[in-house]
Amino acid sequence: MSRRVRRKVAKKGKETVVLPSYPEIEGGVLPSGGVEDVDWTSLPDDTVIQLFSCLNYRDRASLSATCRTWRALGASPCLWGSLDLRAHKCDAAMAASLTSRCANVQKLRFRGAESAEALIHLQSRNLHEISGDYCRKITDATLSMIVARHELLESLQLGPDFSERITSDAIKATAFCCPKLKKLWLSGIRDVSADAINALAKYCPNLFDVGFLDCLNVSEVALGNLLSVRYLSVAGTSNMKWNVVSHLWHSLPKLIGLDVSRTDIDPTAVSRLLSSSASLKVLCALNCPVLEEDISFTTNRYKGKLLLAFFTDIFESLASLFSDNAKKGKDVFMDWRSSMMNDKIADEMMTWLEWILSHTLLRIAESNPQGLDDFWLKQGSRILLSLMQSSQEEVQERAATGLATFVVIDDENASIDCRRAEAVMRDGGVHLLLNLAKSWREGLQSEAAKAIANLSVNANVAKEVAEGGIGILTRLARSMNRLVAEEAAGGLWNLSVGEEHKGAIAEAGGVKALVDLIFKWSSGGDGVLERAAGALANLAADDKCSMEVALAGGVHALVMLARTCKFEGVQEQAARALANLAAHGDSNSNNAAVGQEAGALEALVQLTHSPHEGVRQEAAGALWNLSFDDGNREAIAAAGGVEALVAIAQSCSNASPGLQERVAGALWGLSVSEANSIAIGQEGGIAPLISLARSEAEDVHETAAGALWNLAFNPGNALRIVEEGGVPALVHLCSSSVSKMARFMAALALAYMFDGRMDEFALIGTSLESSSKSVNLYGAQRMALKHIEAFVLQFSDPPAFAAAAASSASATLAQVTERAHIQEAGHLRCSGAEIGRFVAMLRNPSSILKACAAFALLQFTIPGGRHAVHHANLMQTSGAARVLRSAAAAATAPLEAKIFARIVLRNLEHHKPGLDLTRLQVSKRLKSLRDLAERT
């Protein structure tokens, strides 16, 4: 949402001239043709002032510093008629620095109590309008001081959030100090007393627009004394005595518009007000449950009076205000704005209706009451889109915020109502929002970008947004306004979910803009940092974009966040981004680059201690991906990664499947190292992994089985697995898991455990520090072998095996291979020691283990597998072909072992032409073959 003005540089002789580029001037865009021929310093003063008027205050000040002439023009009083300080921290010092330019400011918008207290330092005695939000901490003293210094005030608005610390005393002070007051809107005041309202009636004779919204108590009787009021709103105000209201307010002589939305007004009061008031033309009663429950209520008998409610056609009702029949349907606001008629009352009334409708619809969207789907789909979204085209900036902002809000049905899970989102798109909302985002007004940019971001959660809307919006959001992400940049980053985050949009974001410069945001707002900008890191995390999931992230300095930026930021949302997204950057180990060097970044691994290990589960999950996921690099694996262990991950595994039995999967995966990755494998066993990591193997989640099955498979390679760990009751857990996985991969790795773990290497170790015990638990190894072995055999036989086809035994035809072997192929197993990468262990297992006296070993080698060498060539090289180097031929020809070997061994030999032959061996490599391999022959 950054609408930072980009600066072009043109060469003129030896001189460099800075040329401002403006996204929008009123309704048009500056022409780009021939810009290099323009001497900007020679433009007429009025042209320069016009250009300055289209800039935000920061850019205006920057260009004012270009030369002495522009400095003088930049201080022109006409440029400082209004001031919007909401995006800036406005304290006394900043206000004092603006004093020289703000003498003629007439309209001012601010945010927060600190800015309110600083207003007096502006010394803007000509202020006519003051509008503030986030006013919860503003006190009577502050408001009294403001109104005392600005006696020319005509409009005062505080809200829409509650002004909890303002009382009737401050309202009375406003009445005494501001006799020219015309408009007063206050929100969330606990008690508006009769004295305060009577003071307004007495001292503010021009007061015509009054709003006491979401107040706890307002004196209905005193409001009947505001004889000058033409427009009155008590929307959301509770404890109103409607019988008193209906008998008093109808006598207000000038009352034209009344807003009672979000109250408990009843049909009787509505009827009496509409029938008794001679001047009342419009009564707005949106979201009034008591009124809406009376299905017999009708407005047809109140001729010339308008009731706006959920059960009325609002567009048609508004059209009836005009005698011109052309003003009909959903275009009534547009028709009114373009009308050449001079109807002061109608214009004033429509301006007020825009104001209260934008406010009321936003508050309704924020509370998200049930049962309004029909209203939002048929009328609500169209009304907001119409209001978004208002000439009132505040109305435009609220309408855009309303669109951003009403589509969200679950804040926690970022869920939106797809029908509402697509209704906005269908009515041209995306185009309108993108145009609004191109405005030079930062408030409009921020709210439009927020709406674009929320709507883009829907894939169909995201597609339309991407067609013209990626470049706009990228430009806004470069804004010096944090709120704008934050919402723009949120838009890019949601768009980056779609694989088809990632490349377009990178091409538009979005990656660099997001990385720059992290450095720009490294402190004090948790919202923008979370969104930027989240978008980079999505982009990093794409191989090509991950390289862009790294080249743009993303690794350093994300590690900095992981190390220094304390906000959980930022930590989670930074860890997720680093995990995705490290997930492309086979295709780029980012995995190693992340591990080599100073403090990266230590920071991720530290994040595994976070009390926030999401942070722990993403940190564990990052460590899992990083553990695929040999250097990272040892560095993670050195940083305390083994202890940290085992601690999480021991405490995550009730955690989400996502955390369980990643913790088991990280231990799986670390356990590739023999030293780490032993450390995990000694640290107590085996028992929690066995518990995770019993999980109901398929993904957890796989990672827990993979970790136990690696750990079982070590005989000490194998015995620990047996002692901790791991055999039944692995047997259950092997026979019952939905995942073929989990069943496969469980079978391999059991095969490792009972291929004979553990037997000798079991006689000594698992360690000198602890005695071995009493277990029945023979019974466990029998159970394991039985289920290994059953697993392998699942991939057996007796007719095909018989045919293969009788014939060596490739077609027959291919048929067997197709049935036996576990596709996911092609992603496993084994070390030379592991391949050697399976080759040795082919000589094991157990026919079941022979068949299992041949079956495993088949999976690792199937052509097309990611690491098939690597495994074939290891087998060729170790002379496995000879052992395979022996197994294939052995008379006592089971048929499955023979057939699988023959298929592995065929696979080795397939990979043989692809081996590019140097003379030295050939020599080494011949030597290894001779050594193998001597040993056997």
Side-chain angles (χ1 to χ4, degrees):
M1 304 167 15
S2 155
R3 72 163 183 7
R4 172 74 172 168
V5 174
R6 296 167 58 204
R7 306 172 101 190
K8 301 175 182 176
V9 179
K11 295 291 184 180
K12 187 176 181 183
K14 297 181 179 179
E15 194 177 10
T16 298
V17 182
V18 177
L19 307 179
S21 172
Y22 311 100
E24 183 183 0
I25 293 185
E26 296 302 327
V29 177
L30 283 175
S32 57
V35 73
E36 66 277 3
D37 299 322
V38 175
D39 180 1
W40 292 87
T41 61
S42 65
L43 288 173
D45 290 354
D46 59 345
T47 302
V48 175
I49 289 174
Q50 177 66 19
L51 294 175
F52 271 102
S53 71
C54 296
L55 299 179
N56 61 54
Y57 310 110
R58 184 187 300 102
D59 295 328
R60 194 180 297 169
S62 297
L63 285 183
S64 295
T66 305
C67 63
R68 189 173 300 172
T69 302
W70 280 17
R71 181 176 180 81
L73 293 174
S76 300
C78 63
L79 294 174
W80 298 91
S82 65
L83 193 61
D84 187 350
L85 299 174
R86 290 175 300 164
H88 312 282
K89 181 182 179 182
C90 181
D91 52 18
M94 178 183 174
S97 70
L98 290 170
T99 300
S100 61
R101 303 185 182 200
C102 293
N104 295 305
V105 169
Q106 294 188 0
K107 180 177 180 179
L108 187 142
R109 302 180 72 182
F110 71 91
R111 176 165 288 162
E114 185 180 17
S115 295
E117 292 168 1
L119 295 187
I120 60 168
H121 298 283
L122 288 174
Q123 299 181 18
S124 305
R125 303 303 291 256
N126 294 321
L127 267 177
H128 289 180
E129 297 182 41
I130 293 178
S131 175
D133 53 19
Y134 289 87
C135 300
R136 288 183 182 273
K137 295 184 179 180
I138 294 179
T139 62
D140 277 0
T142 300
L143 181 55
S144 299
M145 181 175 57
I146 290 172
V147 296
R149 295 296 184 96
H150 303 101
E151 62 276 4
L152 299 180
L153 204 61
E154 296 180 359
S155 174
L156 175 63
Q157 303 162 46
L158 299 179
D161 48 310
F162 294 174
S163 307
E164 295 173 337
R165 300 174 68 179
I166 293 176
T167 70
S168 292
D169 291 339
I171 298 174
K172 286 190 283 186
T174 302
F176 296 148
C177 297
C178 304
K180 296 190 175 184
L181 196 65
K182 296 179 180 179
K183 182 174 183 176
L184 177 66
W185 272 54
L186 300 174
S187 295
I189 299 191
R190 293 183 181 278
D191 181 66
V192 183
S193 68
D195 286 347
I197 296 173
N198 288 332
L200 290 170
K202 180 177 180 180
Y203 296 107
C204 302
N206 300 318
L207 189 62
F208 75 90
D209 188 352
V210 175
F212 293 117
L213 293 84
D214 297 294
C215 299
L216 291 180
N217 187 41
V218 178
S219 173
E220 306 91 344
V221 175
L223 282 175
N225 297 329
L226 288 175
L227 302 182
S228 63
V229 73
R230 296 200 291 274
Y231 301 99
L232 176 62
S233 176
V234 290
T237 292
S238 54
N239 301 317
M240 298 290 292
K241 300 178 181 66
W242 294 111
N243 59 329
V244 175
V245 166
S246 60
H247 283 94
L248 287 177
W249 291 5
H250 71 84
S251 61
L252 288 169
K254 298 181 180 179
L255 184 65
I256 297 173
L258 176 61
D259 177 22
V260 295
S261 299
R262 300 183 293 112
T263 66
D264 59 355
I265 192 169
D266 56 72
T268 302
V270 170
S271 296
R272 189 173 290 125
L273 285 167
L274 288 173
S275 60
S276 303
S277 175
S279 60
L280 185 65
K281 290 183 178 295
V282 180
L283 194 155
C284 186
L286 296 172
N287 196 28
C288 296
V290 177
L291 176 64
E292 291 155 9
E293 287 169 5
D294 187 347
I295 59 176
S296 64
F297 184 81
T298 177
T299 60
N300 294 336
R301 61 179 183 264
Y302 307 111
K303 192 170 183 181
K305 303 292 178 73
L306 208 62
L307 174 65
L308 303 183
F310 283 157
F311 52 80
T312 65
D313 188 322
I314 293 175
F315 285 111
E316 289 297 330
S317 299
L318 293 176
S320 68
L321 292 173
F322 302 91
S323 57
D324 183 357
N325 291 329
K327 297 180 177 64
K328 289 183 178 179
K330 65 179 182 179
D331 295 325
V332 62
F333 282 105
M334 187 64 70
D335 290 340
W336 161 66
R337 293 182 197 115
S338 60
S339 173
M340 301 300 293
M341 297 175 59
N342 281 324
D343 187 338
K344 183 179 178 181
I345 296 297
D347 289 347
E348 184 181 85
M349 189 163 39
M350 288 294 285
T351 300
W352 177 77
L353 282 168
E354 283 190 334
W355 184 272
I356 61 111
L357 284 172
S358 65
H359 187 282
T360 296
L361 291 179
L362 174 57
R363 295 312 297 265
I364 293 171
E366 288 172 341
S367 62
N368 193 25
Q370 298 296 313
L372 292 187
D373 283 350
D374 194 54
F375 168 75
W376 285 122
L377 293 174
K378 290 183 177 179
Q379 298 194 76
S381 63
R382 288 182 177 179
I383 295 172
L384 289 171
L385 290 173
S386 295
L387 295 174
M388 217 165 62
Q389 301 169 74
S390 169
S391 59
Q392 302 180 75
E393 184 179 347
E394 292 92 335
V395 170
Q396 286 182 299
E397 283 187 25
R398 280 200 293 266
T401 309
L403 286 174
T405 307
F406 96 105
V407 296
V408 179
I409 55 177
D410 184 356
D411 274 333
E412 196 68 29
N413 298 307
S415 299
I416 69 167
D417 188 304
C418 292
R419 292 187 304 159
R420 296 181 188 181
E422 293 183 10
V424 173
M425 178 178 67
R426 197 165 46 247
D427 291 328
V430 171
H431 177 71
L432 289 172
L433 285 165
L434 291 176
N435 279 340
L436 207 61
K438 291 189 287 187
S439 165
W440 57 270
R441 293 184 175 92
E442 291 178 327
L444 294 178
Q445 290 177 347
S446 173
E447 300 310 319
K450 181 190 296 180
I452 291 167
N454 287 357
L455 289 164
S456 295
V457 173
N458 177 273
N460 294 328
V461 179
K463 184 177 180 180
E464 184 165 334
V465 169
E467 290 177 2
I470 288 176
I472 294 171
L473 290 172
T474 299
R475 287 195 295 275
L476 294 181
R478 299 189 183 102
S479 174
M480 294 299 292
N481 182 321
R482 182 180 59 80
L483 297 177
V484 175
E486 181 175 321
E487 299 299 348
L492 292 173
W493 185 2
N494 287 344
L495 285 174
S496 63
V497 171
E499 293 298 322
E500 66 274 27
H501 306 318
K502 289 180 168 67
I505 292 172
E507 288 174 11
V511 171
K512 181 69 165 60
L514 291 164
V515 171
D516 289 346
L517 274 182
I518 293 175
F519 292 118
K520 187 187 299 182
W521 304 104
S522 57
S523 60
D526 293 339
V528 69
L529 292 175
E530 179 181 16
R531 287 161 173 77
L536 289 173
N538 287 350
L539 292 167
D542 176 82
D543 185 17
K544 185 177 179 181
C545 289
S546 73
M547 292 298 294
E548 293 262 2
V549 173
L551 290 172
V555 173
H556 180 63
L558 293 164
V559 169
M560 178 186 73
L561 290 183
R563 292 178 62 190
T564 62
C565 190
K566 303 303 179 187
F567 181 62
E568 291 170 349
V570 178
Q571 292 175 338
E572 181 175 349
Q573 297 308 322
R576 187 169 73 91
L578 291 170
N580 287 347
L581 279 173
H584 308 283
D586 291 342
S587 55
N588 64 47
S589 59
N590 285 348
N591 192 308
V594 172
Q596 291 164 8
E597 181 70 27
L601 301 180
E602 292 81 358
L604 288 168
V605 170
Q606 188 60 38
L607 289 181
T608 63
H609 299 292
S610 170
H612 187 260
E613 182 174 314
V615 177
R616 296 200 303 275
Q617 176 174 309
E618 298 303 341
L623 293 172
W624 179 12
N625 287 347
L626 289 164
S627 67
F628 287 102
D629 179 83
D630 294 340
N632 289 343
R633 196 179 301 124
E634 304 310 322
I636 291 169
V642 170
E643 296 83 355
L645 290 164
V646 168
I648 298 178
Q650 290 171 336
S651 62
C652 74
S653 57
N654 295 320
S656 67
L659 176 58
Q660 294 177 337
E661 177 199 8
R662 286 162 176 78
V663 169
L667 289 170
W668 181 10
L670 289 180
S671 64
V672 170
S673 157
E674 180 75 4
N676 289 345
S677 177
I678 294 171
I680 291 169
Q682 292 176 342
E683 196 66 31
I686 287 175
L689 284 169
I690 292 172
S691 296
L692 292 178
R694 297 190 177 100
S695 166
E696 296 180 0
E698 178 181 339
D699 292 338
V700 181
H701 289 176
E702 291 185 1
T703 53
L708 291 169
W709 171 35
N710 276 359
L711 290 167
F713 188 85
N714 175 270
N717 284 337
L719 184 56
R720 283 191 179 92
I721 293 172
V722 176
E723 292 173 341
E724 296 291 347
V727 172
L730 288 168
V731 161
H732 179 73
L733 272 187
C734 185
S735 60
S736 306
S737 176
V738 182
S739 165
K740 282 185 181 180
M741 270 291 285
R743 298 205 306 271
F744 176 53
M745 291 186 292
L748 299 187
L750 292 169
Y752 275 174
M753 292 161 62
F754 295 105
D755 68 349
R757 301 193 185 198
M758 183 180 65
D759 298 346
E760 182 179 346
F761 194 87
L763 297 175
I764 304 171
T766 57
S767 68
L768 297 176
E769 291 82 8
S770 63
S771 60
S772 182
K773 295 180 181 178
S774 176
V775 292
N776 181 354
L777 288 181
Y778 178 70
Q781 182 180 34
R782 251 192 341 176
M783 183 193 303
L785 292 177
K786 175 184 174 182
H787 284 85
I788 292 172
E789 181 180 28
F791 169 74
V792 173
L793 289 176
Q794 291 176 27
F795 300 91
S796 171
D797 184 354
F801 273 44
S807 169
S808 59
S810 296
T812 308
L813 291 178
Q815 182 181 351
V816 174
T817 304
E818 184 178 354
R819 178 180 175 84
H821 185 199
I822 301 175
Q823 189 170 1
E824 298 89 341
H827 297 288
L828 297 174
R829 180 184 174 95
C830 298
S831 66
E834 289 172 299
I835 292 294
R837 188 154 180 178
F838 285 116
V839 172
M841 213 180 288
L842 291 170
R843 299 194 187 95
N844 195 285
S846 168
S847 60
I848 295 173
L849 290 179
K850 285 180 181 177
C852 180
F855 179 77
L857 293 172
L858 180 152
Q859 305 303 325
F860 300 145
T861 58
I862 286 180
R866 182 186 294 181
H867 304 295
V869 174
H870 164 74
H871 296 144
N873 284 341
L874 293 176
M875 293 176 70
Q876 296 280 10
T877 303
S878 63
R882 179 177 175 180
V883 181
L884 286 163
R885 282 193 291 271
S886 297
T892 57
L895 181 59
E896 291 78 19
K898 293 180 180 182
I899 302 303
F900 290 149
R902 285 172 58 185
I903 295 172
V904 175
L905 285 168
R906 188 198 60 171
N907 291 346
L908 294 182
E909 287 298 318
H910 173 86
H911 293 300
K912 200 170 186 179
L915 300 177
D916 186 14
L917 305 180
T918 64
R919 185 179 300 172
L920 179 61
Q921 288 174 317
V922 171
S923 174
K924 287 182 177 178
R925 291 193 176 188
L926 288 173
K927 182 177 184 303
S928 67
L929 287 171
R930 284 194 296 271
D931 292 342
L932 181 64
E934 290 174 3
R935 288 197 300 273
T936 58

